[in-house]
Amino acid sequence: MKKCLVTGGAGFIGSNLVERLVGLSFEVKVLDDLSSGFLRNLEPFRENIEFIEGDVRDMATLQQVMSEVEVVFHQAAVVSVPQSIEDPMETGMVNDLGTLYVLEAARHNGVRRVVFASSCAVYGDLPQVPKKEDMDTKPLSPYAASKLNGETYARLYGDLYGLETVCLRYFNVYGPRQDPSSPYSGVISIFMDSAARGERPTIYGDGEQYRDFVYVADVVQANLLAAQRENISGVTINVGTGKPVTINSLWRNIAELAGVQGEAKRADFRPGDIRQSVAEISRARELLDYQSYHSLEEGLQFTWEWYRSRSY
Ligand code: UD2
C-alpha cells in the first residue's frame, strides 16, 4: 500500500488513522467536508498529507482524489444515532449514498481495497452476548441501518466488480480527539471532559449496563491490518476488546485517574439504551492477527492526558 485515501480523515477516528499512516510514511490523502471533523485534528501533520475539503457524494472530487490510490479507508459518516433518528434523510444521504459513491469511484479508479467503518450498532438489542459476526442483525436506528447497508454494498462490489472490501464493526471507540461537546458524544469523552472541569457527570440508569470500550489506536491497527492482509475480501470483522466494562466502574476509574471526588449524578435510563454490548473478537484474531494492545487503564491514561492538556 503506497497511496491511500481516508474519507472523514479530519474526524476522531479518521485523524488518528491518518496520523499513524503518515508515521508509517504512506502517502495520505484526506477527504473531509468538515461537517463534524476539524482541521485542528490534522494540524500536527498537516504538511505531510494532501487535504481535500469536499463531500463524499461529489463524484468529480472523488474521481480526482482516488486516482492512483490503492486503499480507501471510508470513515466519513453521520456518526450520531440520535441525530440519525431526528434526521433519517440526512443520514441516508451521507451514509448510505455516500458509501455507494465511494465504492463506485473506487471501482472506476482501480482501487485495490476499501476498508469500511461499520458499527456494532448493526446488532441492535438482540440479547445474545458476546456479539459474533454471524449473529442476526437488527438495526434500531437509521444510523445502524446505514452501516448494515454499507456492508451489503461493500460485499456486492466485491462479488459483482471484484473490488476488495473489508468491513470493520467498531465497538465503543474512545481516545484523544473524541469531541465531547454534544450530549450524544461517547461516554468516555463526556466523563473525561467533566473530570477535567472538576465536575461530576451523569450516569443514566443504574450504571450496570456495560460496553466494550476499545482504544482508538487499536482500531487504527485493525484498519492497517484489514488493508494489508491477503484473502479477506468480503469479510466483516468485529473490532473491540472482548471485555465488558460497566458505566459505574468506568466512572470510578476516570474519577480516580482525575482525582475527582464524589459520586456521579443519576438520571433515568436513556430511551433505547442497549443494556449489554461486548464483542467476540476471535475472527479479528484469526484473520487479522489483531489484538487489543491497550488495556482500559492504559487507554484511559493516554486519553486523560489529552483531555487535561487540551486548550479548547
Ligand atoms: C455507541 C455508539 C453509537 C452506536 C452504538 C451501537 C458512540 C458515541 N456511540 O452508542 O454510534 O455505534 O454504540 O450500539 O460511540 N452514558 C451515561 N452518561 C453519559 C453518556 C452516556 O451514563 O453522559 C451511558 C449511556 O446511557 C450508555 C453508555 O453510557 O449506556 C454508553 O453510551 P455512549 O453514548 O457512549 O454509546 P452507546 O453505546 O449508546
Side-chain angles (χ1 to χ4, degrees):
M1 176 174 67
K2 287 196 185 73
K3 240 186 219 182
C4 54
L5 168 69
V6 182
T7 70
F12 158 49
I13 300 172
S15 65
N16 277 283
L17 176 58
V18 171
E19 183 171 19
R20 183 75 186 282
L21 290 164
V22 168
L24 292 168
S25 303
F26 292 116
E27 267 184 66
V28 188
K29 296 184 182 186
V30 172
L31 175 65
D32 200 302
D33 68 355
L34 301 179
S35 57
S36 60
F38 301 97
L39 275 180
R40 64 171 185 251
N41 286 341
L42 299 169
E43 208 47 58
F45 36 91
R46 179 70 185 82
E47 297 303 309
N48 304 99
I49 60 169
E50 185 182 338
F51 176 76
I52 303 100
E53 185 172 344
D55 192 305
V56 286
R57 294 159 297 172
D58 177 351
M59 189 50 95
T61 302
L62 279 179
Q63 293 282 12
Q64 188 199 324
V65 296
M66 274 199 210
S67 72
E68 292 173 42
V69 160
E70 193 184 338
V71 174
V72 175
F73 298 94
H74 179 37
Q75 311 291 311
V78 171
V79 296
S80 161
V81 171
Q83 192 184 335
S84 82
I85 293 170
E86 274 160 35
D87 193 348
M89 290 300 289
E90 174 72 1
T91 298
M93 300 289 271
V94 175
N95 294 12
D96 298 68
L97 201 57
T99 299
L100 194 52
Y101 267 93
V102 167
L103 291 166
E104 183 67 359
R107 144 167 118 101
H108 287 296
N109 281 279
V111 168
R112 179 173 62 80
R113 186 172 292 182
V114 175
V115 181
F116 173 59
S118 186
S119 165
C120 64
V122 301
Y123 294 113
D125 62 355
L126 296 171
Q128 304 97 310
V129 279
K131 305 293 183 192
K132 293 190 180 136
E133 294 88 345
D134 55 7
M135 278 178 175
D136 286 344
T137 51
K138 189 188 170 197
L140 296 176
S141 64
Y143 169 80
S146 76
K147 289 298 176 182
L148 195 56
N149 290 337
E151 290 185 6
T152 306
Y153 276 125
R155 184 182 50 73
L156 271 179
Y157 267 70
D159 293 348
L160 296 176
Y161 310 116
L163 174 67
E164 294 183 16
T165 58
V166 180
C167 300
L168 300 179
R169 286 181 181 164
Y170 302 162
F171 278 66
N172 288 57
V173 189
Y174 71 98
R177 303 201 193 105
Q178 191 169 27
D179 179 20
S181 62
S182 130
Y184 306 125
S185 302
V187 64
I188 291 185
S189 70
I190 293 176
F191 283 9
M192 289 278 176
D193 193 49
S194 301
R197 296 167 197 274
E199 293 166 3
R200 296 177 302 136
T202 301
I203 291 180
Y204 301 123
D206 64 4
E208 286 305 297
Q209 66 270 37
Y210 63 74
R211 295 291 186 272
D212 186 330
F213 293 105
V214 56
Y215 187 59
V216 66
D218 290 331
V219 175
V220 165
Q221 180 67 7
N223 271 276
L224 293 176
L225 294 165
Q228 295 179 84
R229 289 286 141 129
E230 295 301 325
N231 304 319
I232 54 166
S233 182
V235 176
T236 299
I237 305 172
N238 285 343
V239 179
T241 67
K243 296 187 186 106
V245 177
T246 67
I247 304 305
N248 285 331
S249 72
L250 176 70
W251 171 242
R252 278 197 297 274
N253 274 311
I254 294 176
E256 196 185 313
L257 198 61
V260 176
Q261 305 293 326
E263 290 290 304
K265 293 178 260 180
R266 298 281 162 173
D268 281 348
F269 264 112
R270 233 168 36 175
D273 217 16
I274 291 168
R275 187 82 188 152
Q276 304 167 329
S277 173
V278 69
E280 160 70 64
I281 55 167
S282 52
R283 185 179 285 182
R285 278 205 202 98
E286 278 160 32
L287 296 183
L288 301 180
D289 274 335
Y290 161 86
Q291 288 184 48
S292 59
Y293 285 104
H294 297 82
S295 65
L296 184 72
E297 291 67 29
E298 193 183 21
L300 289 181
Q301 178 72 46
F302 291 155
T303 308
W304 170 241
E305 280 159 22
W306 186 81
Y307 278 95
R308 204 174 40 173
S309 68
R310 83 190 191 125
S311 55
Y312 47 84

